[in-house]
């Protein structure tokens, strides 16, 4: 048997397949879905981007992106999508289905109304199953691929995220079963587990949580109010440093088209860090770590006078400003650590500066810089 040269095999791995088919991306009006649709269109695929309104269709329409009306919980929308693929004027095959649509409404298990539990399962689980059932025959003919967008919440359930995490745990299990059922038919099933990504849905979920908290009874306010506020504040601070949606979409497009995909991919440094921890650390230790990361924040206090720190771990420092480096007379409190996990970052109580990654302890005689 004549084998191709090694160089040509490397080229095949880098350029896995000719992008000549259809791709369906649900929930493509914004965020991860829109970014994934753009990245796949840039690879040469014709993307059927699922949206729910005409304004969303106008926003996402572009070269290689055809918006289609798709609410995955509405059966006739799913039927219309299947007819569009079957009646494609160029008779292109369906290569990839990206199940990305989702909603996130967070509140404690005791507080969240059952109607909102059911709504999240309808969108985040049953809707995806409906689309898979309708489009699987097309994927079987093309030996295509299903990409289910799960979450780090499908492996580690944070407090207040019970309903959303429940839908993602269920999607993970359904994906495992589906992968083992259709692998013999040539269909691949991939699960993507994103961590924090800067999207409209992620930003909106905090506001929804606060609205639900405001409507709670006085007893529930006393029991859960501090937990909800701390969780929303922690997530809002984290989203400022989270992965941009454009980068997430580009990575998902590569996962959707690589020739030999893994069964699961993490997306973002936080997901790559947290998911292995859930496998190796005892559940009680994970509970303690997550509880500390969502501990209520104390209100800001007035700047402490220089030279009178209440904590011996505060350090004097220099700050870089527009008019040149200056010495701040305030003190800098080091971040809080749990084992090797840094949960908080310190800030000077006088100048408000945070340290960059190059800080060194002044106790050892080294100088370090603080970027404001």
């Amino acid at each position: 048997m004549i084998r191709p040269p090694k160089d040509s095999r490397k080229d095949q791995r880098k350029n896995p397949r000719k992008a000549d088919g259809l791709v369906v991306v649900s929930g493509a009006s914004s965020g991860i879905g829109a970014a994934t649709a753009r990245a796949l269109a840039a690879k040469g695929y014709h993307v059927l981007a699922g949206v729910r309104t005409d304004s969303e269709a106008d926003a996402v329409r572009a070269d290689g992106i055809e918006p289609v009306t798709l609410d995955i919980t509405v059966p006739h929308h799913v039927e219309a999508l299947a007819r569009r693929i079957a009646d494609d004027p160029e008779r292109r095959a369906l290569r990839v289905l990206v199940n990305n649509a989702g909603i996130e409404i967070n509140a404690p298990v005791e507080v969240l109304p059952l109607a909102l539990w059911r709504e999240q399962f309808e969108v985040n689980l049953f809707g995806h199953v409906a689309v898979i059932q309708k489009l699987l025959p097309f994927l079987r003919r093309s030996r295509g691929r299903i990409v289910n967008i799960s979450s780090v919440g499908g492996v580690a359930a944070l407090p207040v995220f019970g309903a959303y995490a429940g839908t993602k745990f269920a999607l993970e299990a359904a994906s495992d079963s589906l992968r083992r059922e259709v692998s013999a038919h040539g269909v691949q099933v991939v699960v993507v587990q994103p961590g924090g990504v800067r999207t409209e849905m992620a930003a909106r979920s905090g506001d929804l949580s606060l609205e639900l908290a405001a409507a709670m009874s006085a007893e529930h306010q006393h029991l859960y109010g501090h937990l909800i506020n701390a969780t929303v504040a922690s997530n809002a601070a984290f989203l400022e440093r989270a992965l941009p949606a454009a980068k997430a979409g580009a990575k998902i497009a590569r996962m959707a088209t690589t020739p030999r995909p893994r069964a699961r991919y993490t997306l973002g440094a936080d997901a790559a860090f947290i998911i292995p921890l859930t496998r190796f650390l005892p559940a009680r230790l994970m509970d303690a770590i997550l509880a500390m990361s969502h501990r209520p924040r104390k209100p800001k206090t007035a700047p402490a006078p220089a030279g009178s720190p209440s904590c011996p771990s505060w350090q004097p420092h220099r700050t870089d400003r527009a008019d040149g480096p200056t010495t701040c007379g305030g003190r800098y409190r080091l971040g809080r650590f749990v084992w090797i996990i840094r949960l908080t970052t310190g800030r000077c109580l006088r100048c408000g500066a945070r340290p960059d990654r190059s800080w060194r302890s002044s106790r050892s005689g080294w100088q370090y810089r603080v970027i404001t």
Side-chain angles (χ1 to χ4, degrees):
M1 182 177 69
I2 300 175
R3 305 187 70 176
K6 288 185 178 180
D7 290 342
S8 67
R9 278 181 279 165
K10 285 181 182 178
D11 292 340
Q12 264 187 350
R13 285 195 293 270
K14 290 180 182 177
N15 303 293
R17 61 174 73 173
K18 184 180 177 181
D20 59 352
L22 301 176
V23 173
V24 170
V25 180
S26 64
S29 60
S30 63
I32 293 176
T36 301
R38 287 191 287 268
L40 287 167
K43 288 178 175 287
Y45 292 96
H46 186 81
V47 181
L48 302 177
V51 298
R52 293 189 297 173
T53 65
D54 292 339
S55 60
E56 291 175 349
D58 293 337
V60 77
R61 184 179 284 107
D63 186 27
I65 300 178
E66 176 188 340
V68 294
T69 302
L70 179 61
D71 181 336
I72 61 175
T73 64
V74 179
H76 71 263
H77 285 186
V78 180
E79 291 277 357
L81 174 63
R83 286 196 300 271
R84 166 63 185 85
I85 295 169
D87 299 336
D88 183 66
E90 298 182 30
R91 296 189 177 183
R92 291 166 292 197
L94 177 62
R95 302 295 183 188
V96 182
L97 165 61
V98 181
N99 285 313
N100 170 73
I103 58 174
E104 181 180 342
I105 308 171
N106 299 319
V109 171
E110 182 182 3
V111 173
L112 189 67
L114 279 177
L116 295 180
W117 277 83
R118 292 190 177 100
E119 182 181 357
Q120 291 191 77
F121 271 88
E122 283 291 339
V123 177
N124 296 354
L125 179 63
F126 301 138
H128 295 317
V129 172
V131 174
I132 289 170
Q133 289 177 343
K134 207 67 184 176
L135 301 189
L136 195 51
F138 299 104
L139 293 166
R140 195 157 33 235
R141 285 196 288 271
S142 67
R143 303 179 73 84
R145 184 173 304 174
I146 298 170
V147 180
N148 289 332
I149 308 301
S150 178
S151 168
V152 66
V155 180
L158 294 172
V160 185
F161 283 73
Y164 178 76
T167 65
K168 295 303 183 179
F169 268 80
L171 183 63
E172 295 263 350
S175 299
D176 282 342
S177 184
L178 178 65
R179 185 181 67 251
R180 292 156 186 160
E181 292 164 359
V182 300
S183 61
H185 308 156
V187 179
Q188 300 167 321
V189 179
V190 176
V191 174
V192 180
Q193 299 166 321
V197 179
R198 290 201 297 272
T199 64
E200 292 180 11
M201 185 184 79
R204 199 165 53 241
S205 68
D207 295 334
L208 291 174
S209 295
L210 294 177
E211 289 177 13
L212 288 169
M216 292 191 305
S217 66
E219 181 185 5
H220 288 155
Q221 287 276 4
H222 175 71
L223 292 171
Y224 300 116
H226 68 284
L227 177 62
I228 294 173
N229 291 332
T231 301
V232 170
S234 176
N235 290 339
F238 177 75
L239 283 176
E240 294 177 2
R241 308 182 301 276
L243 188 70
K247 288 187 177 181
K251 289 177 181 289
I252 291 171
R254 287 198 294 272
M255 298 167 189
T257 56
T258 188
R260 293 184 178 179
R262 302 200 300 264
R264 274 177 175 75
Y265 290 92
T266 58
L267 190 59
D270 56 326
F273 180 70
I274 291 172
I275 290 174
L277 282 184
T278 62
R279 297 174 185 154
F280 299 114
L281 292 185
R284 295 296 185 186
L285 181 55
M286 280 299 301
D287 290 349
I289 292 172
L290 294 176
M292 292 188 71
S293 67
H294 289 76
R295 182 175 293 171
R297 270 53 172 176
K298 294 181 180 179
K300 292 183 179 180
T301 58
S308 59
S310 60
C311 174
S313 65
W314 287 354
Q315 302 287 340
H317 58 274
R318 292 170 62 81
T319 61
D320 286 348
R321 299 186 184 278
D323 56 352
T326 62
T327 300
C328 177
R331 297 279 177 160
Y332 164 71
R333 187 174 65 183
L334 296 179
R336 174 160 52 88
F337 286 77
V338 176
W339 284 16
I340 61 170
I341 305 165
R342 189 166 194 162
L343 298 178
T344 61
T345 303
R347 182 187 286 272
C348 174
L349 295 181
R350 170 166 290 190
C351 70
R354 289 185 184 275
D356 67 358
R357 293 173 182 263
S358 64
W359 69 269
R360 295 179 178 181
S361 172
S362 61
R363 289 179 179 174
S364 61
W366 298 333
Q367 287 186 342
Y368 65 94
R369 299 167 56 245
V370 176
I371 306 301
T372 57

